[in-house]
Amino acid sequence: MLSDNDTSLCFLPMSHIFEKAWTYFCLYMGMKVYVNNDPHQIQQAIREVRPTCMCSVPRFWEKVYTAVQEKLGDMRGIKKWMTARALNIGRRRNIDYVRLGLKAPWWIEKQYQFFDKKVFSLLRKAIGVENGNIFPTAGAPLSANIVEFLQSCGINIVIGYGLSETTATVTCFPQTGYEIGTVGTRMPGVEVKIGEENEILVKGATVMRGYYNKPEATAEAFTADGWLRTGDAGYIDESGALVLTERIKDLFKTSNGKYIAPQALESRLGEDKFIEQVAVIGDKRKYVTAIIIPAFEALKEYARKKHIQYRTMEDLIKNTDVRKMIQERIDILQENFAGFERIKKFTLLPQEFTMEAGELTNTLKIRRPVINRRYAREIEAMYA
């Protein structure tokens, strides 16, 4: 599937095992690897390099999805109808048949070839992935809606799961037969089972022997019979694929005794074009709240269209119309969540979370203890 004819773009920190292991693999295969040192320039870099493969975290594809959805929302007439039809045919061909290793009926294949030339190829070129082969994605949950959308457009997203302690990949999508909503099936030579509290346990040659000079931490990381405790909860479905349900240490319980998996909410809200980052709050609280970093450029455009006057970003995020609009979008996004899981209040911030400030990991996941401490005043105000 991959060869020395492929080209990879590296943009995650090389300190992270996912990018490091992937880049080593690319070099072993004889691929040309381009390195982008500034994550903020990735959109420009990918259009310059036009890679055939690239490992990334979900946030990259969430941004791609929201940008495309915004373009689709602006379409009218025949162009809107044609795009909707293309997505329907793309889903039927790539999800209902190709995903399962089946040959699509000729009338679907012919329509797909037409729409691939007139719609999907232009979309992939605008992103910079028109030469795409595979795009491994891991590090955090990626919405099943986004995975299905990208696959329908002919962008081969390969979802995987792993840890630094497992030398990256434990499971990933197979070439055919993968189940959207899972993180794929286990890699050769790796064993996976579900332990107490539904914790995912791993064994295999790629699993670490222990933490350097930390015997107590090493002992805590393994079960008595030598399985690595991942700290993630999940289950193995009927097809043998692994499904992640929550990060155990992120799971919290409200004061009403209800358990909340914040990543599920954060992943869902991440689909929205006006929402850049989300930190869900609620541990030992009466209800769930969130700190939200809006997508500033999208918000400015909204303000321009609605003739909302403001001087600073602080002014804009405090605007009543803006807050009402965000609230309405949140309400729609969390319709499928139980009442006790839904965000009741939120706070908008005028600056994004960053790795430099210690608020994000090197795979762009939020550091909850840092967020809780740094924005304690804003959090308390939502419970006043």
Side-chain angles (χ1 to χ4, degrees), residues 124-142:
R124 295 193 297 264
K125 187 173 183 179
I127 298 169
V129 297
E130 71 270 27
N131 301 319
N133 186 344
I134 69 169
F135 296 96
T137 304
L142 179 61

Side-chain angles (χ1 to χ4, degrees), residues 14 39 70 74 87 127 143 147 158 195 201 206 208 212 214 242 266 287 313 317 325 339 351 353 373:
M14 288 295 286
E70 185 172 5
D74 291 337
L87 287 170
I127 298 169
S143 164
V147 176
V158 178
L201 306 177
T206 56
M208 69 168 189
Y212 182 66
K214 293 183 177 180
L242 182 64
E266 291 162 356
Y287 48 83
M313 191 53 61
I317 63 174
M325 180 271 291
Q351 70 284 328
F353 301 138
R373 183 174 64 253

Side-chain angles (χ1 to χ4, degrees), residues 214-258:
K214 293 183 177 180
E216 292 181 1
T218 299
E220 290 178 6
F222 289 90
T223 64
D225 54 351
W227 290 81
L228 175 71
R229 304 177 191 274
T230 64
D232 293 309
Y235 62 90
I236 298 172
D237 72 7
E238 300 82 4
S239 71
L242 182 64
V243 180
L244 297 183
T245 53
E246 66 258 346
R247 179 73 179 155
I248 292 175
K249 70 178 182 180
D250 285 346
L251 190 69
F252 62 75
K253 186 164 65 172
T254 65
S255 60
N256 298 319
K258 301 292 187 180

